[in-house]
Amino acid sequence: MAKGVHRSSRALGAALAFAALAAAATACSAGTEPAGGPPAPAAGQQAQGQGAAGALNAYVEKVREQRAARVLAAKKWGLARPPLEAPAPPAVKPRITTRKGFETDGEGLPPVFTTVPTKQKVVFLTIDDGAEKDPALLRMMNDLRIPYSAFLSDYVVKDDYAYFARMQKSQPGGIALNNHTLNHRYLPGLSYSEQKREICGMQDVIEKRFGKRPPLFRPPYGNYNEDTLRAAKSCGVKAVPLWASEAFPDHMEWREWDRDLHPGDIVLTHFRGKEDWKGTMPDMIRRVMNVITAKGYAVAKLEDYV
């Protein structure tokens, strides 16, 4: 897998290096030119130098403003510290394979995984079903610029498709709306044709309502069999992300033995509120982000890696 390069850091480094070289060249020439000083640069050269300096200043100012906004947003929403900024995604997406022990006998089926192979200290936040439609969640995630992926079930989203349309456009990079079946049924207990209706039917709903057929699918309860994967593949699913940990407003639950985060881990949570949880969705985001940030991780966008 090609390593991801932090484009903004690279751009800043290049600009600073350019400025340093320019300053060094000016200093050297100052000691060797006649007393009258070096000849004035041509008009085009002068404009070019001013343009580079202006671009650098504008970039630095933009980064400063973004960081200041994130600090203010963290205070507004009660986070212990601002979320860490994710590095740029890899130029080439990593090769995803099925996690050992999660295989079926079928070949060429969408991979089932809980962690994306990467060395970057990033994790991925995913939210399932769509039952709770809290406007505060959209405001909070936009203020904090936290990317996430939604896995939707039609039986709980169909009463308010507009909420998820707003979600989809709530951040500059967009929020991906993925497949979690029509009715959230236990898929291994269904026939192939019934599973296909649940999965492919939701593909159709998302395409019709939100304009894009999603490549990612998560089976309800994380349960599947070979028919599930065959049905998913038949209607355009490319990968089946499960999860390595799960977030609640008052605690975290862990799949791995060390009860910790790892580079590339997928974090699950749900669209739930006080009727189901000991808190709201913003409470849950506050909890999970405090854990993620304290462990030195940033949240990246799953679809940039898969």
Side-chain angles (χ1 to χ4, degrees), residues 193-211:
S193 61
E194 289 171 324
Q195 291 198 51
K196 186 173 180 179
R197 179 180 179 278
E198 281 289 319
I199 300 166
C200 298
M202 192 60 193
Q203 291 286 89
D204 296 339
V205 167
I206 294 175
E207 182 177 32
K208 178 182 178 180
R209 295 290 178 176
F210 308 112

Side-chain angles (χ1 to χ4, degrees), residues 65-107:
E65 289 175 356
Q66 289 175 342
R67 289 178 176 170
R70 184 169 276 202
V71 169
L72 290 175
K75 291 180 179 178
K76 171 184 175 180
W77 292 102
L79 273 64
R81 63 182 71 173
L84 298 175
E85 296 179 30
V92 177
K93 292 182 179 181
R95 179 173 175 267
I96 307 293
T97 59
T98 293
R99 177 172 172 160
K100 186 176 180 179
F102 287 58
E103 306 93 339
T104 66
D105 292 333
E107 297 183 358

Side-chain angles (χ1 to χ4, degrees), residues 129-134 152-166 182 202 205 209-210 271:
D129 64 51
E132 181 77 6
K133 303 163 185 70
D134 187 348
L152 305 180
S153 291
D154 194 49
Y155 82 109
V156 287
V157 304
K158 63 184 178 182
D159 64 335
D160 194 357
Y161 289 126
Y163 174 83
F164 298 97
R166 292 195 300 274
L182 288 173
M202 192 60 193
V205 167
R209 295 290 178 176
F210 308 112
F271 290 94

Side-chain angles (χ1 to χ4, degrees), residues 51-184:
L56 173 60
N57 291 337
Y59 174 79
V60 171
E61 183 61 27
K62 182 179 179 180
V63 171
R64 184 182 294 116
E65 289 175 356
Q66 289 175 342
R67 289 178 176 170
R70 184 169 276 202
V71 169
L72 290 175
K75 291 180 179 178
K76 171 184 175 180
W77 292 102
L79 273 64
R81 63 182 71 173
L84 298 175
E85 296 179 30
V92 177
K93 292 182 179 181
R95 179 173 175 267
I96 307 293
T97 59
T98 293
R99 177 172 172 160
K100 186 176 180 179
F102 287 58
E103 306 93 339
T104 66
D105 292 333
E107 297 183 358
L109 298 175
V112 181
F113 57 102
T114 62
T115 299
V116 173
T118 180
K119 293 182 180 179
Q120 295 178 330
K121 288 201 73 173
V122 297
V123 295
F124 307 98
L125 183 60
T126 63
I127 313 179
D128 276 11
D129 64 51
E132 181 77 6
K133 303 163 185 70
D134 187 348
L137 173 72
L138 304 188
R139 296 194 300 270
M140 182 179 194
M141 301 302 264
N142 183 49
D143 287 351
L144 293 166
R145 288 293 190 266
I146 299 172
Y148 59 102
S149 304
F151 288 80
L152 305 180
S153 291
D154 194 49
Y155 82 109
V156 287
V157 304
K158 63 184 178 182
D159 64 335
D160 194 357
Y161 289 126
Y163 174 83
F164 298 97
R166 292 195 300 274
M167 175 182 290
Q168 187 181 33
K169 299 176 182 179
S170 64
Q171 293 191 27
I175 300 300
L177 307 180
N178 296 302
N179 188 331
H180 198 45
T181 73
L182 288 173
N183 298 295
H184 206 271

Side-chain angles (χ1 to χ4, degrees), residues 261-303:
L261 292 176
H262 313 86
D265 275 358
I266 298 170
V267 180
L268 164 69
T269 191
H270 289 82
F271 290 94
R272 292 286 187 272
K274 287 187 175 181
E275 292 183 359
D276 303 288
W277 274 350
K278 296 178 181 178
T280 64
M281 294 205 73
D283 291 334
M284 178 276 298
I285 294 297
R286 190 176 302 111
R287 159 78 59 170
V288 70
M289 288 310 303
N290 283 342
V291 171
I292 290 170
T293 305
K295 291 179 178 292
Y297 286 83
V299 176
K301 187 175 182 178
L302 181 61
E303 291 75 15

Side-chain angles (χ1 to χ4, degrees), residues 23-37:
T26 302
C28 291
S29 62
T32 57
E33 292 292 335

